[in-house]
């Protein structure tokens, strides 16, 4: 039987999501480290054709990777605020001006399994931090296979035509946002669908970029 303190511990883990030190959400060291991140242009190698100018807040490893996984897979939703602030910094680094932030949609089954739509949550948090609007304008057009284990070319083929816009976007300036960029195939497909839907894609912004090994 679970007692109330155990339940509270499940609901409110008293560990820093970045380094597992005792802390309510983030320890002071991890907060300071996050504050020091400088968003920068990122380019996957090989560069995928059709990828808009992309900015990332940092590398997908260490503390940043731990925070993103904790938010996405372990439901530490309070991390949406600091991660959203980082994403807002990456959007701002694009210098794109007044844009609507459009999250990359997850498959409905993945959203159900996780209990939330992590990219939409980050987009909304980033929009609030940046004084912009976020809108889930993209939806899956068909099922796609699991991306893990696929090559860059395999990912691109798997994703071609996978997304569509909800409605015509007649000239709307947008920035695509997501938590992580790896090969860039997802951002390419999102940008393609938005352009075909009539939007003006001013760039893409992510919290973290996977470094090439
Ligand atoms: Zn920490």
């Amino acid at each position: 039987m679970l007692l109330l303190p155990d339940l509270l511990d499940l609901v409110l883990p008293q560990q820093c999501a970045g380094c597992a030190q005792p802390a309510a959400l983030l320890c002071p060291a991890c907060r300071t480290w996050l504050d020091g991140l400088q968003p920068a242009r990122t380019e996957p190698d090989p560069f995928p054709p059709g990828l808009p100018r992309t900015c990332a807040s940092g590398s997908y490893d260490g503390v940043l990777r731990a925070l993103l996984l904790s938010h996405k897979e372990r439901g530490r939703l309070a991390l949406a605020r600091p991660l959203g602030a980082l994403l807002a910094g990456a959007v701002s680094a694009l210098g794109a001006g007044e844009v609507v932030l459009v999250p990359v949609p997850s498959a409905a089954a993945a959203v159900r399994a996780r209990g939330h739509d992590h990219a939409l949550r980050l987009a909304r948090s980033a929009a609030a931090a940046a004084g912009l609007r976020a809108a889930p304008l993209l939806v899956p057009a068909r099922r796609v296979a699991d991306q893990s284990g696929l090559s860059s070319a395999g990912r691109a083929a798997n994703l071609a035509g996978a997304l569509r816009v909800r409605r015509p976007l007649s000239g709307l300036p947008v920035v695509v946002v997501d938590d992580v960029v790896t090969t860039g195939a997802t951002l390419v497909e999102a940008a393609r669908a938005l352009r075909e839907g009539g939007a003006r894609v001013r760039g893409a912004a992510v919290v973290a970029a996977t470094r090439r090994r």
Side-chain angles (χ1 to χ4, degrees), residues 72 103-119 138-147 159 162-163 178 186:
K72 179 177 179 176
V104 170
S106 297
V111 172
R112 272 197 304 277
R114 291 180 188 128
H116 76 130
D117 185 333
H118 69 288
L138 288 170
V139 289
R142 60 169 174 79
R143 279 169 179 272
V144 296
D146 185 0
Q147 291 282 89
L159 285 179
L163 301 176
D178 205 357
T186 308

Side-chain angles (χ1 to χ4, degrees), residues 34-59:
L34 285 184
D35 287 344
L37 286 176
Q38 298 290 334
R41 179 90 189 264
T42 183
E43 284 191 355
D45 181 10
F47 186 85
L51 183 73
R53 204 156 49 91
T54 303
C55 282
S57 296
S59 298

Side-chain angles (χ1 to χ4, degrees), residues 42 52 63 83 90 93 125 137 144 148 171-172 179 188 196 207:
T42 183
V63 168
L83 292 173
S125 172
L137 298 173
V144 296
S148 49
L172 187 74
D179 57 347
V188 166
E196 266 184 32
V207 178

Side-chain angles (χ1 to χ4, degrees), residues 1 8 13 25 34 42-44 46 54 76 83 98 105 114 128 164-165 171:
M1 189 181 120
L8 284 177
L25 183 67
L34 285 184
T42 183
E43 284 191 355
T54 303
R76 290 194 79 175
L83 292 173
E98 195 76 8
R114 291 180 188 128
R164 62 176 177 81
V165 293

